[in-house]
Coordinates of all heavy atoms in Angstrom, one line a residue:
V21 N 0.9 -1.2 0.0 CA 0.0 0.0 0.0 C 0.9 1.2 0.0 O 1.9 1.3 0.7 CB -0.9 0.0 1.3 CG1 -1.8 1.3 1.4 CG2 -1.8 -1.3 1.2
K22 N 0.5 2.2 -0.9 CA 1.3 3.4 -0.9 C 1.4 4.0 0.4 O 0.4 4.2 1.1 CB 0.6 4.4 -1.9 CG 1.5 5.7 -2.0 CD 0.9 6.5 -3.1 CE 1.8 7.8 -3.4 NZ 1.2 8.6 -4.4
G23 N 2.7 4.4 0.9 CA 2.8 5.0 2.2 C 3.1 4.1 3.2 O 3.4 4.3 4.3
S24 N 3.0 2.8 3.0 CA 3.1 1.7 4.0 C 4.7 1.6 4.2 O 5.5 2.0 3.5 CB 2.6 0.4 3.6 OG 3.4 -0.2 2.5
V25 N 5.0 0.9 5.4 CA 6.4 0.6 5.7 C 7.1 -0.2 4.7 O 8.2 0.2 4.2 CB 6.5 0.0 7.1 CG1 7.9 -0.5 7.4 CG2 5.8 0.9 8.2
A26 N 6.4 -1.1 4.1 CA 6.9 -2.1 3.1 C 7.2 -1.2 1.8 O 8.3 -1.4 1.2 CB 6.1 -3.2 2.8
A27 N 6.4 -0.4 1.5 CA 6.5 0.5 0.3 C 7.7 1.4 0.4 O 8.5 1.5 -0.5 CB 5.2 1.2 -0.1
T28 N 7.8 2.0 1.5 CA 8.9 2.9 1.8 C 10.2 2.2 1.9 O 11.2 2.7 1.2 CB 8.7 3.7 3.1 OG1 7.4 4.3 3.1 CG2 9.7 4.6 3.5
A29 N 10.3 1.0 2.4 CA 11.4 0.1 2.4 C 11.9 -0.2 1.0 O 13.0 -0.3 0.7 CB 11.3 -1.0 3.4
G30 N 10.9 -0.7 0.3 CA 11.1 -1.0 -1.1 C 11.7 0.1 -2.0 O 12.6 -0.1 -2.7
R31 N 11.2 1.3 -1.8 CA 11.7 2.4 -2.5 C 13.1 2.8 -2.1 O 13.9 3.1 -2.9 CB 10.8 3.7 -2.3 CG 9.6 3.7 -3.2 CD 8.8 5.1 -3.2 NE 8.5 5.5 -1.8 CZ 7.3 5.2 -1.2 NH1 6.5 4.3 -1.9 NH2 7.1 5.5 0.0
R32 N 13.3 2.8 -0.8 CA 14.8 2.9 -0.3 C 15.7 1.9 -0.8 O 16.8 2.4 -1.2 CB 14.7 2.9 1.2 CG 14.2 4.1 1.9 CD 14.4 4.2 3.3 NE 13.6 5.3 3.9 CZ 13.2 5.2 5.1 NH1 13.3 4.2 6.0 NH2 12.6 6.2 5.7
L33 N 15.2 0.7 -1.0 CA 16.1 -0.4 -1.5 C 16.5 0.0 -2.9 O 17.7 -0.1 -3.2 CB 15.5 -1.7 -1.3 CG 16.1 -2.9 -2.0 CD1 17.5 -3.2 -1.2 CD2 15.3 -4.1 -2.0
W34 N 15.5 0.2 -3.7 CA 15.7 0.4 -5.1 C 16.5 1.7 -5.5 O 17.4 1.8 -6.2 CB 14.4 0.5 -6.0 CG 13.8 -0.9 -6.1 CD1 12.8 -1.4 -5.5 CD2 14.6 -2.0 -6.9 NE1 12.7 -2.8 -5.9 CE2 13.7 -3.1 -6.8 CE3 15.7 -2.1 -7.6 CZ2 14.1 -4.3 -7.3 CZ3 15.9 -3.3 -8.3 CH2 15.2 -4.3 -8.1
T35 N 16.3 2.7 -4.6 CA 17.1 4.0 -4.6 C 18.5 3.6 -4.3 O 19.4 4.2 -5.0 CB 16.5 5.0 -3.7 OG1 15.1 5.2 -4.1 CG2 17.3 6.4 -3.8
G36 N 18.8 2.9 -3.3 CA 20.1 2.6 -2.9 C 20.8 1.7 -4.0 O 22.0 2.1 -4.2
I37 N 20.2 0.8 -4.5 CA 20.8 0.0 -5.7 C 21.1 0.8 -6.7 O 22.2 0.8 -7.4 CB 19.8 -1.2 -6.0 CG1 19.8 -2.2 -4.9 CG2 20.2 -1.8 -7.3 CD1 18.7 -3.3 -5.0
G38 N 20.2 1.7 -7.1 CA 20.4 2.6 -8.2 C 21.6 3.6 -8.0 O 22.4 3.7 -8.9
S39 N 21.6 4.1 -6.8 CA 22.8 4.9 -6.5 C 24.1 4.1 -6.6 O 25.1 4.6 -7.1 CB 22.8 5.5 -5.1 OG 21.7 6.3 -4.9
M40 N 24.1 2.9 -6.1 CA 25.4 2.0 -6.1 C 25.8 1.7 -7.7 O 26.9 1.8 -8.0 CB 25.2 0.8 -5.4 CG 25.1 0.9 -3.9 SD 24.9 -0.5 -2.8 CE 24.6 -1.9 -3.9
L41 N 24.8 1.5 -8.4 CA 25.0 1.2 -9.9 C 25.7 2.4 -10.7 O 26.5 2.3 -11.4 CB 23.8 0.7 -10.5 CG 23.4 -0.8 -10.2 CD1 22.1 -1.1 -10.8 CD2 24.5 -1.7 -10.7
R42 N 24.9 3.5 -10.2 CA 25.6 4.8 -10.8 C 27.0 5.1 -10.5 O 27.7 5.5 -11.3 CB 24.6 6.0 -10.5 CG 23.4 6.1 -11.4 CD 22.5 7.3 -11.1 NE 22.1 7.6 -9.7 CZ 21.0 7.0 -9.2 NH1 20.3 6.2 -10.0 NH2 20.6 7.2 -8.1
A43 N 27.3 4.9 -9.2 CA 28.7 5.1 -8.6 C 29.6 4.1 -9.4 O 30.6 4.5 -9.7 CB 28.7 4.9 -7.2
A44 N 29.2 2.9 -9.5 CA 30.0 1.9 -10.2 C 30.2 2.2 -11.6 O 31.5 2.2 -12.1 CB 29.4 0.5 -10.1
C45 N 29.3 2.7 -12.3 CA 29.4 3.2 -13.6 C 30.3 4.4 -13.9 O 31.1 4.4 -14.7 CB 28.0 3.4 -14.3 SG 27.0 1.9 -14.7
E46 N 30.2 5.3 -12.9 CA 31.1 6.5 -12.8 C 32.6 6.1 -12.7 O 33.5 6.5 -13.3 CB 30.6 7.5 -11.8 CG 31.4 8.7 -11.8 CD 31.6 9.5 -13.1 OE1 30.6 9.4 -13.9 OE2 32.4 10.3 -13.3
R47 N 32.8 5.2 -11.7 CA 34.1 4.7 -11.4 C 34.7 4.0 -12.6 O 35.9 4.2 -13.1 CB 34.1 3.7 -10.3 CG 34.1 4.3 -8.9 CD 34.5 3.3 -7.8 NE 33.6 2.2 -7.8 CZ 32.4 2.1 -7.1 NH1 32.1 3.1 -6.4 NH2 31.7 1.1 -7.2
N48 N 33.9 3.2 -13.3 CA 34.3 2.4 -14.5 C 34.7 3.6 -15.6 O 35.7 3.3 -16.4 CB 33.3 1.6 -15.0 CG 33.8 0.6 -16.1 OD1 34.9 0.1 -16.0 ND2 32.8 0.3 -17.0
R49 N 33.9 4.4 -15.8 CA 34.1 5.5 -16.8 C 35.4 6.2 -16.5 O 36.2 6.5 -17.4 CB 33.0 6.4 -16.9 CG 33.0 7.4 -18.1 CD 31.8 8.5 -18.0 NE 31.9 9.4 -17.0 CZ 32.6 10.5 -17.0 NH1 33.4 10.7 -18.0 NH2 32.6 11.2 -16.0
S50 N 35.6 6.6 -15.2 CA 36.8 7.4 -14.9 C 38.0 6.5 -15.1 O 39.1 7.0 -15.5 CB 36.7 7.7 -13.5 OG 35.6 8.7 -13.2
R51 N 37.9 5.2 -14.7 CA 39.1 4.3 -14.9 C 39.5 4.1 -16.4 O 40.6 4.1 -16.7 CB 38.9 3.0 -14.3 CG 38.8 3.1 -12.7 CD 38.5 1.9 -12.1 NE 38.5 2.0 -10.7 CZ 38.0 1.3 -9.8 NH1 37.2 0.4 -10.2 NH2 38.1 1.5 -8.5
R52 N 38.4 4.1 -17.3 CA 38.7 4.1 -18.7 C 39.5 5.3 -19.2 O 40.4 5.2 -20.0 CB 37.4 3.7 -19.4 CG 37.1 2.3 -19.4 CD 35.8 2.0 -20.4 NE 34.6 2.4 -19.7 CZ 33.7 3.3 -20.2 NH1 34.0 3.9 -21.3 NH2 32.7 3.7 -19.5
M53 N 38.9 6.5 -18.7 CA 39.5 7.7 -19.1 C 41.0 7.8 -18.6 O 41.9 8.3 -19.5 CB 38.7 8.8 -18.6 CG 37.3 8.9 -19.4 SD 36.2 10.2 -18.6 CE 37.2 11.7 -19.0
L54 N 41.2 7.4 -17.4 CA 42.5 7.4 -16.9 C 43.5 6.6 -17.8 O 44.7 7.0 -18.0 CB 42.5 6.9 -15.5 CG 43.9 6.9 -14.7 CD1 44.3 8.4 -14.4 CD2 43.6 6.3 -13.4
A55 N 43.1 5.4 -18.2 CA 43.9 4.5 -18.9 C 44.2 5.1 -20.3 O 45.3 4.7 -20.9 CB 43.2 3.2 -19.1
E56 N 43.4 6.0 -20.8 CA 43.6 6.5 -22.1 C 44.6 7.8 -22.1 O 45.0 8.3 -23.1 CB 42.3 7.0 -22.7 CG 41.4 5.9 -23.0 CD 40.0 6.3 -23.5 OE1 39.8 7.4 -23.6 OE2 39.3 5.4 -23.8
L57 N 44.9 8.3 -20.9 CA 45.9 9.4 -20.9 C 47.3 9.0 -21.2 O 47.7 7.9 -21.0 CB 45.8 9.9 -19.3 CG 44.5 10.5 -18.8 CD1 44.8 11.0 -17.4 CD2 44.1 11.6 -19.6
D58 N 48.0 9.9 -21.8 CA 49.3 9.6 -22.1 C 50.2 9.9 -20.9 O 49.7 10.4 -19.9 CB 49.8 10.6 -23.3 CG 49.8 12.0 -23.0 OD1 49.8 12.5 -21.9 OD2 49.6 12.8 -24.0
D59 N 51.5 9.6 -21.0 CA 52.4 9.6 -19.9 C 52.5 11.0 -19.3 O 52.8 11.2 -18.1 CB 53.8 9.0 -20.3 CG 53.7 7.4 -20.4 OD1 52.7 6.9 -19.9 OD2 54.5 7.0 -21.3
R60 N 52.6 12.0 -20.2 CA 52.8 13.4 -19.8 C 51.6 13.9 -18.9 O 51.8 14.4 -17.8 CB 52.9 14.4 -21.0 CG 53.1 15.8 -20.7 CD 53.1 16.8 -21.8 NE 51.8 16.7 -22.6 CZ 50.6 17.3 -22.1 NH1 50.6 18.1 -21.1 NH2 49.6 17.3 -22.9
L61 N 50.4 13.5 -19.3 CA 49.2 13.8 -18.5 C 49.1 13.1 -17.1 O 48.7 13.6 -16.2 CB 47.9 13.7 -19.3 CG 47.7 14.6 -20.4 CD1 46.5 14.3 -21.3 CD2 47.5 16.1 -20.0
L62 N 49.6 11.8 -17.2 CA 49.6 11.0 -16.0 C 50.5 11.6 -14.9 O 50.3 11.6 -13.9 CB 50.0 9.5 -16.3 CG 48.9 8.6 -17.0 CD1 49.4 7.3 -17.4 CD2 47.8 8.6 -16.0
R63 N 51.7 12.1 -15.4 CA 52.7 12.8 -14.6 C 52.1 14.0 -14.0 O 52.3 14.2 -12.8 CB 54.0 13.2 -15.4 CG 55.0 12.1 -15.5 CD 56.4 12.6 -15.9 NE 56.2 13.5 -17.1 CZ 56.4 13.0 -18.3 NH1 56.6 11.7 -18.6 NH2 56.3 13.9 -19.3
D64 N 51.3 14.6 -14.8 CA 50.6 15.9 -14.3 C 49.7 15.6 -13.1 O 49.6 16.5 -12.2 CB 49.8 16.6 -15.4 CG 50.6 17.3 -16.4 OD1 51.9 17.5 -16.1 OD2 50.1 17.8 -17.4
V65 N 49.0 14.4 -13.1 CA 48.1 14.1 -12.0 C 48.9 13.3 -11.0 O 48.3 12.9 -10.0 CB 46.9 13.3 -12.5 CG1 46.0 14.3 -13.4 CG2 47.3 12.1 -13.2

């Protein structure tokens, strides 16, 4: 039932899973970009 404890817990669960997946995708994207940097740019960071 909308507004019930179970519904609220379910939304929190899916929101948490979505946040974790977005963070994992962002880490993956950042790591791919890092691997594409040349040695000069790697030295800069």
Side-chain angles (χ1 to χ4, degrees):
V21 177
K22 185 176 181 178
S24 72
V25 173
T28 302
R31 278 193 302 276
R32 285 185 186 152
L33 174 67
W34 286 111
T35 299
I37 290 171
S39 295
M40 289 180 356
L41 286 174
R42 279 189 298 278
C45 288
E46 179 62 25
R47 278 192 304 272
N48 192 36
R49 186 182 71 81
S50 297
R51 288 174 178 157
R52 279 186 282 124
M53 291 173 63
L54 184 65
E56 293 173 1
L57 295 179
D58 62 24
D59 290 335
R60 181 186 60 81
L61 290 173
L62 286 172
R63 271 194 314 272
D64 285 349
V65 295

